[in-house]
């Protein structure tokens, strides 16, 4: 029998991005012994890549912003399939979490009168994104990391967990391997928080890093937890398209927030076309280019330009322009910020200036960028209770991008970073409470043995190259579950995905167990195939177009599907799809929409 190292905590937090770090801080401050595990290094994760800012209605910009407006914007952006109570908690608590972060030591950009500066972003009625230039994620993770380290958090870096351990349906720990040695490791815990981020890496053109393989959601799924709205994947409108090796890298929405304009090959500012303005936003955006220009210097008396419509709308518009033959030379649109002047651009968008300079040999103060939609975020994920982030499995909590409920059919930019703070904290508190109230579960060595055999199987004579299978998964998802979906395409994609699934038992890892990407990819692919199947099946189930799910056979929103979340569960090795009713809004929340919906 293989040996393993063993650790025991009250609370185990899997993932050290913003959600995991905030959960660990809350758990430790509640008095629970807490272990924090991440598969890269502390201070990395996706969160460090975040650029534009964290949305919270502090109301610092002399605009009548408050939690109610943020609530309305988030529900509208999510096309009303978000969990209303989750959104309410989020909008109410986000300002406190931002101010708390400042107390921890975060240094935000300031207004001339010394308040935290807030920038405009897509789908937010008022300037609401608290930011640090275009490096907000770096400041957020640095601050949370410092705080967690000051509380003496027990961190296990470069550890990949692969399986949740169960005692009669309750989650009591997790098992996996240490990446640099290949040794196995087991964590026992009274409660577990999953904060492992999204699964953008199942697509080739993505803004996400290697870590986004959906491990946490897949582990929870395999253990029996319910997933929701997996069809809802976000295409960010502006990823790099050139040079080819940089395709998909994010061009932050902050460029449009700071006044960047989108044009097609004819030089038209196409977002002003009537066909691209959704009914629900009509009248809320600048009427013509003159008003949009005035808005740059006078936000009080002019409306936002339509480049700041929600991401799903802008991404589809770029896609349609390209399909109509009006794309840029490399198949995108032009994004132009030159009119803001070099000094302003370098002060407000320093990372973008450097990114294009270094990766594209292009000076954005002098030339236009080329951009096209890129996979950016996963709105669907592990179903989580609004108050506690509890999943459908006792002892298991989920927060951050891996969880589902807040963003509905489309996430508004900036709403992720504050999501991590609000629900990371709530998950940590609830997990610590659960740990106080429950004795440790009973460890079943049989589960450990099964997982050990499964992890070692790729060393025993298969013939499937994991990198090739990963590439096939990316082809399938890009071709069949991309920005524009059809029944025929989804069916063909599912057939191809099931064919890949059938080959998983033959995965082959080259070399030994120490620092072996070939071996690591074997398990990553298993996770991505499971979640890919859930996405394809969920997409076929939702017979309408809504937010990130643009279904050409059903091009309109349907009243019936407006009331449903799509659910996915893993039963006897199969993905089962169903639906559950979108929770009702309280009368007080409903009243906020009077005359607005
Ligand atoms: C380029 C870019 C820019 C963005 N800009 C913004 C922005 O301006 N504003 C905004 O609100 N959002 C932004 N986002 C989105 C936001 O950054 C992410 O949604 C958010 O950071 C996710 O945080 P998280 O804590 O859920 O997960 P992550 O930050 O992705 O962290 C996941 C953690 O889980 C660990 N992990 C994963 N699998 C395992 C495993 N099997 N075992 C152990 N550990 C594991 C990882 O190592 C990591 O520590 C941006 C995203 C990108 C890619």
């Amino acid at each position: 029998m293989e040996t393993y190292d063993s650790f025991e905590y009250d609370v185990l937090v899997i993932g050290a991005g913003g959600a995991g770090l905030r959960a660990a801080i809350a758990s430790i401050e509640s008095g629970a012994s807490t272990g924090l595990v991440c598969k890269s290094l502390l201070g990395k994760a996706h969160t460090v890549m975040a650029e534009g800012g964290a949305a919270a209605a502090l109301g610092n910009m002399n605009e009548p912003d408050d939690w109610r407006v943020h609530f309305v914007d988030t529900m509208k952006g999510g096309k009303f399939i978000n969990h209303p109570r989750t959104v309410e908690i989020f909008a109410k608590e986000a300002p406190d979490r931002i101010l708390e972060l400042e107390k921890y030591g975060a240094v935000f950009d300031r207004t001339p009168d010394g308040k935290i500066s807030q920038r405009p972003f897509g789908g937010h009625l008022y300037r609401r994104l608290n930011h640090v230039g275009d490096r907000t994620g770096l400041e957020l993770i640095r601050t949370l990391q410092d705080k967690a380290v000051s509380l003496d958090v027990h961190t296990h870096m470069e550890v990949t967990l692969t399986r949740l351990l169960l005692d009669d349906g309750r989650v009591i720990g997790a098992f996996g391997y240490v990446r640099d040695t290949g040794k196995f490791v087991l964590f026992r815990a009274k409660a577990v928080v999953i904060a492992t981020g999204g699964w953008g890496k199942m697509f080739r053109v993505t803004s996400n890093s290697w870590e986004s393989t959906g491990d946490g959601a897949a582990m929870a799924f395999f253990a029996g937890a319910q997933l929701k709205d997996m069809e809802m994947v976000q295409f960010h409108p502006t990823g790099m398209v050139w040079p080819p090796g940089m395709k998909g890298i994010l061009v932050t929405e902050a460029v449009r927030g700071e006044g960047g304009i989108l044009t097609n090959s004819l030089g038209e500012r196409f977002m002003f076309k009537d066909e691209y303005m959704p009914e629900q936003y009509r009248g809320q955006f600048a009427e013509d280019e003159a008003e949009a220009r005035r808005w740059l210097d006078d936000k009080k008396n002019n409306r936002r330009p339509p480049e700041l419509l929600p991401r799903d709308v802008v991404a589809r518009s770029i896609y349609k322009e390209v399909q109509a033959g009006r794309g840029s030379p490399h198949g995108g649109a032009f994004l132009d910020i030159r009119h803001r002047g070099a000094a302003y651009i370098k002060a407000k968008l320093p990372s973008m200036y450097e990114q294009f300079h270094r990766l594209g040999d292009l000076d954005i103060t002098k030339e236009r960028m080329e951009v096209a939609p890129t996979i950016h975020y996963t709105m669907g994920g592990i179903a989580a209770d609004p108050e506690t982030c509890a999943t459908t499995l006792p002892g298991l909590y989920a927060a951050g991008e891996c969880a589902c409920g807040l963003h509905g059919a489309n996430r508004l930019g900036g709403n992720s970073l504050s999501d991590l703070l609000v629900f990371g904290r709530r998950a940590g508190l609830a997990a610590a409470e659960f740990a106080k109230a429950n004795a440790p579960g009973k460890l079943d060595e049989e589960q450990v043995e099964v997982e050990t055999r499964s992890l070692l199987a790729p060393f025993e004579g298969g013939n499937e190259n994991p990198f090739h299978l990963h590439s096939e998964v990316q082809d399938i998802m890009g071709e069949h579950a991309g920005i524009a979906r059809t029944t025929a395409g989804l069916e063909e994609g599912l057939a191809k995905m099931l064919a890949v699934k059938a080959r998983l038992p033959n995965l082959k890892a080259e070399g030994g167990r120490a620092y072996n990407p070939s071996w690591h990819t074997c398990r990553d692919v298993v996770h991505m195939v499971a979640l890919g199947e859930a996405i394809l099946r969920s997409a076929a189930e939702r017979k309408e177009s809504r937010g990130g799910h643009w279904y050409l056979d059903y091009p309109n929103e349907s009243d019936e599907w407006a009331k449903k979340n799509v659910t996915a569960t893993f039963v006897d090795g199969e993905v089962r799809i169903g639906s559950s009713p979108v929770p009702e809004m309280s009368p007080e929340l409903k009243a906020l929409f009077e005359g607005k919906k």
Side-chain angles (χ1 to χ4, degrees), residues 207-225:
S207 63
N208 289 189
S209 82
W210 66 272
E211 292 186 69
S212 278
T213 51
D215 303 359
M219 277 191 273
F221 192 43
F222 290 147

Side-chain angles (χ1 to χ4, degrees), residues 478-510:
E479 197 182 333
H480 300 291
I483 190 166
R485 299 165 175 177
T486 62
T487 303
L490 290 169
E491 281 173 1
E492 194 181 332
L494 181 61
K496 287 182 186 170
M497 193 63 84
L498 293 178
V500 172
K501 186 178 178 182
R503 288 154 61 197
L504 294 176
N506 288 326
L507 276 165
K508 177 180 171 61
E510 301 283 353

Side-chain angles (χ1 to χ4, degrees), residues 503-522:
R503 288 154 61 197
L504 294 176
N506 288 326
L507 276 165
K508 177 180 171 61
E510 301 283 353
R513 278 163 57 181
Y515 255 137
N516 183 349
S518 157
W519 183 41
H520 301 166
T521 305
C522 288

Side-chain angles (χ1 to χ4, degrees), residues 15-16 19 39 46-47 50-53 159 161 211 215 377 401 414 416-417:
K39 66 179 181 179
H46 256 95
T47 305
E51 296 162 347
V159 169
L161 294 178
E211 292 186 69
D215 303 359
Y377 188 85
E401 191 170 340
S416 172
L417 291 186

Side-chain angles (χ1 to χ4, degrees), residues 246-307:
M246 303 306 140
K247 200 167 178 172
I249 292 181
L250 192 73
V251 180
T252 174
E253 193 163 326
V255 177
R256 282 171 287 135
E258 297 298 345
I261 61 177
L262 287 165
T263 54
N264 61 20
S265 61
L266 305 177
E268 293 169 327
R269 198 164 167 184
F270 58 87
M271 287 309 301
F272 275 100
K273 290 183 185 178
D274 195 57
E275 64 190 283
Y276 297 147
M277 178 57 67
E279 227 24 73
Q280 67 181 134
Y281 290 104
R282 215 168 266 288
Q284 294 177 21
F285 284 80
E287 200 168 85
D288 50 28
E289 295 187 32
E291 183 178 357
R293 268 194 301 277
R294 289 196 301 275
W295 172 87
L296 292 176
D297 299 318
D298 179 5
K299 296 197 166 46
K300 215 166 176 184
N301 297 308
N302 296 285
R303 289 164 296 178
R304 300 161 286 168
E307 277 89 356

Side-chain angles (χ1 to χ4, degrees), residues 36-42 44 155-161 177-183 185 210 515 520:
L36 179 65
V37 180
C38 53
K39 66 179 181 179
S40 60
L41 298 173
L42 195 57
K44 279 192 86 267
T155 309
H156 303 262
M157 290 189 266
E158 299 200 288
V159 169
T160 298
L161 294 178
Y177 59 84
V178 181
R179 296 174 75 84
D180 56 351
T181 61
K183 282 188 176 165
V185 60
W210 66 272
Y515 255 137
H520 301 166

